[in-house]
């Protein structure tokens, strides 16, 4: 592989994640926002955080609805909660890998 | 359900299936509740509701399913001689809904099993995604 380790980690985070690449239908849409791919890593990151925020807001609204009896489909809430949890886990997994890669480079010695 | 996240397509698709079968459960429970509902001959009989499902286009693997509409049974119903009924007409006839309890029980089982199957898909998809996230951890 011609890219350096840190680039490959960033490439993994900014393009389709390993998880999304498995899925054939617009794989990178959630993490990158469009089909053509993100313009920069910063854009990708901010879009991912926005998607994360949206999923949490949806789950929160549905949780309130479920608690107050204002939800028609119970599974809407459980699915939204699970998806929000999955997205958080994905985000933390990506962050962990990035930090790991950075630490690995910082440990380099001549 | 609205797809906020398309990375977890399988869960959303299973959710759309659960919604359709939940609607079918609702419709069937209403039909069974009204299986003996008599109405005056001047108006329509109680009309049993039947859920019509339709696939949703979306991406290469499809976008799930949705309720296209609700079909109604014959408004003529069954004309039944029941002179003691408070809604009977001058000749003693009332309208009973044109539906069969055995059919409704069959639909009920279909809706229940369909819902359970979709819930199982959502569960499996969740497990798979978690496995993907935990790849290489530990």
């Amino acid at each position: 592989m011609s890219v350096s380790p840190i680039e490959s980690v960033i490439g993994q985070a900014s393009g389709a994640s390993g998880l999304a690449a498995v899925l054939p239908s617009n794989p990178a849409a959630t993490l990158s926002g469009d089909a053509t791919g993100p313009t920069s890593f910063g854009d990708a990151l901010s879009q991912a955080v926005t998607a994360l925020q949206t999923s949490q807001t949806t789950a929160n609204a549905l949780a309130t609805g479920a608690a107050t009896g204002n939800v028609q489909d119970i599974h809407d809430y459980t699915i939204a909660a699970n998806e929000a949890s999955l997205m958080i886990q994905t985000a933390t997994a990506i962050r962990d890998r990035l930090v790991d890669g950075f630490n690995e480079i910082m440990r380099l010695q001549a | 359900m609205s797809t906020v996240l398309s990375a977890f397509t399988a869960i959303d698709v299973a959710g759309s299936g659960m919604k359709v079968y939940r609607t079918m459960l609702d419709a069937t429970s209403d039909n069974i509740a009204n299986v003996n509902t008599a109405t005056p001959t001047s108006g329509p009989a109680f009309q049993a509701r039947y859920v019509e499902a339709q696939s949703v286009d979306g991406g290469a693997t499809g976008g799930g399913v949705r309720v296209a509409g609700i079909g109604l049974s014959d408004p003529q119903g069954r004309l039944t001689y029941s002179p003691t009924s408070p809604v009977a007409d001058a000749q003693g006839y009332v309208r009973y809904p044109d539906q069969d309890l055995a059919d409704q029980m069959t639909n009920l089982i279909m809706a229940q099993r369909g819902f359970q199957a979709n819930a199982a898909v959502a569960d499996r998809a969740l497990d798979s995604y978690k496995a993907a996230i935990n790849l290489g951890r530990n």
Side-chain angles (χ1 to χ4, degrees), chain B residues 48-102:
Chain B
R49 290 169 175 79
Y50 296 95
V51 171
E52 290 162 13
Q54 188 184 48
S55 69
V56 176
D57 287 337
T61 54
V65 65
R66 67 183 180 89
V67 176
I70 304 287
L72 295 170
S73 70
D74 187 7
Q76 298 289 317
R78 286 180 290 117
L79 268 185
T80 308
Y81 184 65
S82 177
T84 55
S85 168
V87 293
D89 63 9
Q91 283 76 41
Y93 283 93
V94 295
R95 286 192 202 281
Y96 274 101
D98 179 32
Q99 58 160 322
D100 178 36
L101 186 57

Side-chain angles (χ1 to χ4, degrees), chain A residues 7-49:
Chain A
E7 276 171 347
S8 71
V9 172
I10 290 171
Q12 189 189 22
S14 61
S17 73
L19 171 67
V22 176
L23 301 165
S25 65
N26 51 17
T30 306
L31 291 175
S32 67
D34 56 39
T36 55
T39 48
S40 72
F41 177 62
D43 286 352
L45 203 62
S46 81
Q47 277 162 7
V49 170

Side-chain angles (χ1 to χ4, degrees), chain A residues 4-91:
Chain A
S4 65
I6 188 68
E7 276 171 347
S8 71
V9 172
I10 290 171
Q12 189 189 22
S14 61
S17 73
L19 171 67
V22 176
L23 301 165
S25 65
N26 51 17
T30 306
L31 291 175
S32 67
D34 56 39
T36 55
T39 48
S40 72
F41 177 62
D43 286 352
L45 203 62
S46 81
Q47 277 162 7
V49 170
T50 308
L52 204 62
Q53 179 66 34
T54 310
S55 74
Q56 296 290 331
T57 311
T58 310
N60 276 339
L62 286 165
T64 313
T68 53
N70 283 327
V71 68
Q72 203 176 16
D73 288 295
I74 302 153
H75 65 262
D76 272 354
Y77 164 63
T78 48
I79 285 176
N82 274 304
E83 282 184 340
S85 157
L86 273 179
M87 288 197 76
I88 283 279
Q89 286 179 44
T90 312

